[in-house]
Amino acid sequence: MQARYNYKVPNGKLLKVSVGFEGSIVTDIKVTGDFFLYPETGIDLIEKSIKGRKLEELQPVLDRVVKENNLRLFGFAVKDLVYAIGMAKEGEEK
Amino acid sequence: MSFRLIIDKPKDAFTNMAIDKAILFAKQEPTLRFFQWKPPAVSIGCFQSLEEEVDTERCKLQGIDVVRRITGGGAVFHDKELTYSFVIAEENSLVPADLLGSYEKICSAVIAGLKNLGLKAGYAPLNDIVVNGRKISGCAQTRRNKAILHHGTLLMAVDVEKMFSLLKVPSEKIRDKMIATVQDRVTSIEKELGRGVSVEDLSNSLKKGFEQTFGIKLVLGKLGEEEWALVEQFREGFASSSWNNRR
């Protein structure tokens, strides 16, 4: 079952995550919303890099993907995405 | 310095989006284009879920086009509005290289255009323009092929009930806006001026706003052959289910 969380980033845009978990490992993820990301193809890199990772690995993994691919996030930051995924996990456990 | 000005007749959503993309991918001649949508349309941002954002069945029943943009941002109902698109090379120093700076600069041209109409508008980061605290214009930008495509809407009149009957607006978004109701979030030129404005008058005011802000002269032109060939190619993609349902 997919866990979901919608996070309106303060002074930013809306991040909607739909996440599949096995324990603390993310098995599937879809990130949607009204945010901006340049280049737009970066969303595929972000989603791919998240799959198979533990929650606590996400911040450094995503920081590296953003840096290595010169991705520019507008309306959200990596920490916001990690937060949204973490909240989806918390919601799943309730 | 002169830039090309294109004033288009109303077109369907897929053609409109194909034209913007064609201008971006073709010669990269700096271009300001004004256009409208016939039939009315809903466009969604490239990262949005069509299913979550739009009541597609209702759109279909009402003959309203639905299209996914190549730019991010939110869902928009294009009806009584003027839409603009601005294409410029990334290396052109008239537009700041940083994202926020570029949004602000291009929005300031729209704000100058609204001032020419007698409206006091302001930039509301990241991608809105407001009058009296209410959104009158939204915009979105992409950067491809070493060029910037920045397009946005200007609400001439607004039918909030119809707009939000087609869009599924997330409550989180509304909550953060400090505005109690959906009706309070948006305004229009008609509402703010207390009178309607013709497309021609609004286009002229905006044209002057861009000329004043960028220190350019806008010269009326049209799409070239290469661009029309790209429009045909891109239109098919914008009308396809695989593109519009991709997220």
Side-chain angles (χ1 to χ4, degrees):
Chain A
M1 201 180 85
Q2 298 281 306
R4 302 173 67 88
Y5 191 76
N6 295 349
Y7 179 45
K8 171 67 176 70
V9 178
N11 298 315
K13 310 305 287 185
L14 184 68
L15 282 174
K16 296 179 171 185
V17 296
S18 176
V19 200
F21 292 101
E22 272 182 25
S24 69
I25 295 174
V26 177
T27 55
D28 193 24
I29 179 145
K30 188 167 90 164
V31 185
T32 60
D34 64 357
F35 55 88
F36 298 90
L37 170 66
Y38 305 95
E40 287 81 1
T41 48
I43 195 68
D44 299 326
L45 297 171
I46 285 175
E47 289 178 343
K48 196 176 165 191
S49 70
I50 290 172
K51 286 177 194 170
R53 298 285 183 175
K54 289 181 183 170
L55 279 176
E56 55 269 31
E57 294 177 315
L58 295 182
Q59 181 78 42
V61 163
L62 287 172
D63 281 339
R64 196 174 66 237
V65 167
V66 166
K67 194 178 174 189
E68 285 177 357
N69 295 283
N70 295 317
L71 302 183
R72 290 197 279 179
L73 284 51
F74 195 57
F76 74 110
V78 165
K79 68 174 172 53
D80 299 313
L81 183 51
V82 173
Y83 172 79
I85 296 167
M87 291 305 289
K89 177 66 180 165
E90 271 191 28
E92 183 198 45
E93 287 168 351
K94 277 177 188 168
Chain B
M1 193 185 299
S2 65
F3 284 13
R4 178 173 58 166
L5 174 68
I6 293 177
I7 299 179
D8 260 339
K9 287 179 180 159
K11 290 183 169 62
D12 68 69
F14 317 114
T15 306
N16 271 331
M17 292 298 90
I19 292 174
D20 274 2
K21 189 175 173 184
I23 295 170
L24 178 66
F25 276 71
K27 289 180 296 186
Q28 297 184 26
E29 184 178 348
T31 300
L32 176 66
R33 181 169 86 98
F34 294 128
F35 59 103
Q36 292 183 292
W37 310 65
K38 191 178 179 182
V42 173
S43 76
I44 60 167
C46 67
F47 302 115
Q48 290 189 298
S49 158
L50 180 64
E51 193 187 347
E52 288 178 17
E53 303 295 336
V54 184
D55 188 336
T56 51
E57 279 305 307
R58 193 177 287 237
C59 287
K60 198 174 175 183
L61 283 172
Q62 297 190 17
I64 289 163
D65 285 342
V66 179
V67 69
R68 180 182 297 279
R69 301 188 305 269
I70 57 169
T71 51
V76 182
F77 176 45
H78 304 278
D79 189 9
K80 293 161 188 161
E81 64 165 44
L82 180 68
T83 316
Y84 69 93
S85 65
F86 186 58
V87 174
I88 189 167
E90 266 189 297
E91 64 182 15
N92 193 316
S93 59
L94 286 177
V95 175
D98 70 291
L99 291 170
L100 191 60
S102 67
Y103 271 84
E104 187 168 12
K105 181 74 185 276
I106 298 168
C107 284
S108 70
V110 177
I111 290 165
L114 290 171
K115 191 179 174 190
N116 293 332
L117 275 178
L119 287 175
K120 194 178 173 191
Y123 174 54
L126 306 169
N127 58 326
D128 290 343
I129 292 172
V130 295
V131 173
N132 292 322
R134 291 172 177 171
K135 180 174 175 174
I136 200 164
S137 171
C139 61
Q141 191 183 108
T142 186
R143 290 162 179 244
R144 313 265 180 99
N145 209 18
K146 295 184 178 172
I148 298 170
L149 162 64
H150 181 112
H151 50 198
T153 66
L154 264 163
L155 288 169
M156 296 175 69
V158 62
D159 182 346
V160 174
E161 259 178 47
K162 186 169 184 184
M163 175 164 38
F164 289 100
S165 74
L166 303 166
L167 306 181
K168 299 175 185 169
V169 178
S171 59
E172 288 84 351
K173 192 171 179 176
I174 300 164
R175 191 180 59 206
D176 202 46
K177 296 281 184 182
M178 300 191 314
I179 297 172
T181 67
V182 168
Q183 279 85 355
D184 280 343
R185 283 183 62 222
V186 292
T187 188
S188 68
I189 291 168
E190 186 181 271
K191 213 182 245 183
E192 295 300 324
L193 281 179
R195 63 178 170 88
V197 172
S198 69
V199 171
E200 291 73 26
D201 285 349
L202 178 54
S203 301
N204 279 331
S205 299
L206 282 178
K207 172 182 175 269
K208 282 180 199 157
F210 273 82
E211 288 180 330
Q212 292 158 349
T213 303
F214 289 103
I216 54 166
K217 183 165 175 50
L218 283 157
V219 179
L220 202 56
K222 54 186 183 179
L223 292 184
E225 277 181 29
E226 186 194 348
E227 287 168 319
W228 275 119
L230 287 172
V231 170
E232 271 191 37
Q233 183 189 323
F234 293 151
R235 189 190 180 283
E236 198 176 329
F238 281 111
S240 70
S241 173
S242 59
W243 167 253
N244 288 314
N245 289 290
R246 73 195 303 249
R247 295 194 80 74

